[in-house]
Amino acid sequence: MSGRLWFIVHGVYIQNEIIMRIEKYQIDEHNQQHLAQHKRQFEFVAESVADISDVMKKLQAFNIAIPSWALGTGGTRFGRFSGGGEPRSLEEKIEDVGVIHALNKSSNSISLHIPWDIPENAGAIKSLAAQLGLHFDAVNSNTFQDQPNQKLSYKYGSLHHVDKAVRKQAIEHNIEVIKYGVQLDSKALSVWLSDGSNFPGQLNFRKAFQNTLESLQEIYQALPDDWKMWIEYKPYEPNFYSTTIGDWGQSYLLASKLGSKASTLVDLGHHLQGANIEQIVSLLLMEGKLAGFHFNDSKYGDDDLTVGSINPYQLFLIFNELVEGMDARGMNHATSIGWMIDASHNVKDPIEDLLQSVHAIKIAYAQALLVDKQALQSAQNNNDVAQAQEILQQAYRTDVRSLIAEASLLSGGALAPVDAYRKLNVRENLIKERGLKTVATGL
Ligand code: RM4
Ligand code: MN
Ligand code: MN
């Protein structure tokens, strides 16, 4: 089935087709097949959960934003092996997020990267998204690539550049991104800089930091009152000697100097091996400076692998700190922090991969909700180390998948999203329509 929307652009009516790729009755049919087994599993787990209805409410409210650049097949610097039926436009990317959300009812927003996905007609784009139950999360600026027709190059950086004219160009780009975001009702600008140096002596660290701060201050001035600025850090790549916002301390320093609208964004892949991310998260939260997350998983570096595919225990430990810290500050779990995926898929179907990522995030969240907080606190106060570990692992070893499935069912989603996606032949239909060799915009 398809619904039709009409938009007026320069006085001309443009017909815009909203394709409902998945109908509610198809999800119901799918759920019917899994229902009996699901109910048995759910009841078994639910009876040991202290306040199951509170947990279910929290799981239902919990959504994770999808980045516009994750819907095409990713590549490496050695090549890109395109999958079929990739979205060819922003509209098609929104449609794909619509598929994900219809299946899991946990991905109700999309985060745009400018200029990869410039919304030419914001009104039309917003209506398309709204038809699918979606809105717009943070907008991301891009000063890590030179765009065609760009006057000055970012070869030696952007906001930290030694040349004021380059800094000005990068500042103006960020302000333009805010303007696009305002049109879409986004509420945050997320800034990731590749600025850094490749060799010792290339850069004066102090001046680079000060230039970055001054540039960010100008962008900060342009933020609407109800907007936030999220500052991402990364230790290396594409620069291999230094990165100007290299770790959470440097990001935090900038955010503190900028003011209350600025905070630190944690991308899970942006740490050196062995970093204790959960401790970083706990302290940023304590200071009211945790902007949110770019979720992904990694084994070696910024691998951008599916969330939970390598180290689900770390993800659980992060969520354990999040739940404890958010509760300590009386924060709403679903809305006080920016939850977003930042991953790139080069061998999987991106939609399946994103469904898996969202699922892994919700599993970690549910397990963190199950931690017996009081018992843990008393174990900590008594220095009962073994008991503290027992308590954490009791929650982590609980198979909470039926809780996630139940939350999805209650919200009108599928009990088993990947299975439903496959049985409904969504990708096959996308290939028929969009072709086998499409290339999505982005990295
Ligand atoms: C960077 C960083 C940014 C993302 C780009 C595509 O490594 O994670 O958040 O926008 O990649
Ligand atoms: Mn990121
Ligand atoms: Mn990254």
Side-chain angles (χ1 to χ4, degrees), residues 69 113 116 140 144 192 232 234 267 270 294 302 342 443:
W69 59 97
H113 220 302
W116 294 341
N140 303 257
F144 50 86
W192 173 68
E232 195 171 344
K234 177 169 175 171
D267 181 315
H270 293 189
H294 276 182
D302 188 21
D342 183 6
L443 274 182

Side-chain angles (χ1 to χ4, degrees), residues 78-376:
F78 298 107
R80 183 177 176 279
F81 304 92
S82 168
E86 291 186 26
R88 296 159 297 180
S89 61
L90 176 54
E91 286 80 353
E92 290 183 353
K93 290 181 184 179
I94 292 172
E95 233 178 64
D96 287 6
V97 179
V99 167
I100 296 172
H101 187 53
L103 289 165
N104 68 11
K105 290 290 174 197
S106 297
S107 310
N108 66 3
S109 67
I110 176 163
S111 181
L112 299 193
H113 220 302
I114 309 290
W116 294 341
D117 290 296
I118 292 188
E120 301 290 358
N121 178 352
I125 289 293
K126 254 193 334 196
S127 309
L128 265 174
Q131 287 277 305
L132 299 167
L134 308 175
H135 63 272
F136 291 88
D137 201 73
V139 277
N140 303 257
S141 60
N142 179 338
T143 59
F144 50 86
Q145 290 171 323
D146 285 346
Q147 304 302 326
N149 308 321
Q150 184 178 307
K151 230 170 107 205
L152 302 164
S153 172
Y154 295 134
K155 179 172 179 183
Y156 297 107
S158 58
L159 297 183
H160 88 173
H161 205 283
V162 288
D163 181 353
K164 191 158 197 262
V166 179
R167 301 203 296 273
K168 188 160 180 282
Q169 176 182 283
I171 292 166
E172 277 164 10
H173 164 70
N174 275 275
I175 294 175
E176 200 193 345
V177 173
I178 295 173
K179 287 188 183 142
Y180 282 122
V182 167
Q183 292 175 21
L184 295 170
D185 299 330
S186 283
K187 293 287 176 226
L189 169 72
S190 133
V191 181
W192 173 68
L193 302 179
S194 70
D195 296 20
S197 69
N198 264 304
F199 296 97
Q202 183 185 334
L203 204 64
N204 179 307
F205 295 139
R206 181 170 40 81
K207 285 184 186 161
F209 186 88
Q210 276 165 350
N211 282 340
T212 305
L213 174 61
E214 278 166 28
S215 302
L216 288 173
Q217 272 161 342
E218 276 194 53
I219 300 164
Y220 191 90
Q221 293 303 319
L223 282 179
D225 287 346
D226 58 345
W227 269 57
K228 306 270 183 233
M229 182 192 276
W230 295 346
I231 305 169
E232 195 171 344
Y233 57 89
K234 177 169 175 171
Y236 70 93
E237 197 207 13
N239 280 290
F240 291 99
Y241 173 61
S242 74
T243 297
T244 296
I245 313 179
D247 63 21
W248 73 282
Q250 291 155 24
S251 165
Y252 174 78
L253 198 56
L254 289 166
S256 304
K257 288 177 189 283
L258 283 165
S260 60
K261 291 183 198 167
S263 49
T264 296
L265 185 108
V266 177
D267 181 315
L268 295 186
H270 293 189
H271 300 87
L272 297 176
Q273 280 200 9
N276 189 331
I277 304 175
E278 52 272 30
Q279 188 177 14
I280 296 171
V281 166
S282 162
L283 299 188
L284 283 173
L285 200 50
M286 175 181 80
E287 291 302 298
K289 282 292 190 191
L290 179 63
F293 284 85
H294 276 182
F295 289 111
N296 49 54
D297 212 342
S298 60
K299 186 157 175 67
Y300 303 105
D302 188 21
D303 306 342
D304 281 337
L305 298 174
T306 316
V307 186
S309 62
I310 303 285
N311 195 349
Y313 190 52
Q314 173 180 262
L315 189 65
F316 160 73
L317 294 175
I318 290 169
F319 266 97
N320 181 46
E321 294 304 330
L322 281 168
V323 167
E324 196 272 338
M326 288 191 291
D327 287 348
R329 293 175 62 90
M331 292 161 71
N332 179 306
H333 295 185
T335 56
S336 327
I337 283 187
W339 310 110
M340 203 185 105
I341 290 172
D342 183 6
S344 172
H345 329 288
N346 53 6
V347 291
K348 285 188 195 166
D349 176 327
I351 293 181
E352 292 190 359
D353 202 289
L354 287 161
L355 286 168
Q356 290 179 323
S357 279
V358 173
H359 193 226
I361 294 166
K362 295 200 78 158
I363 286 175
Y365 176 46
Q367 288 170 330
L369 291 173
L370 297 194
V371 171
D372 185 340
K373 313 272 171 334
Q374 269 180 336
L376 183 62

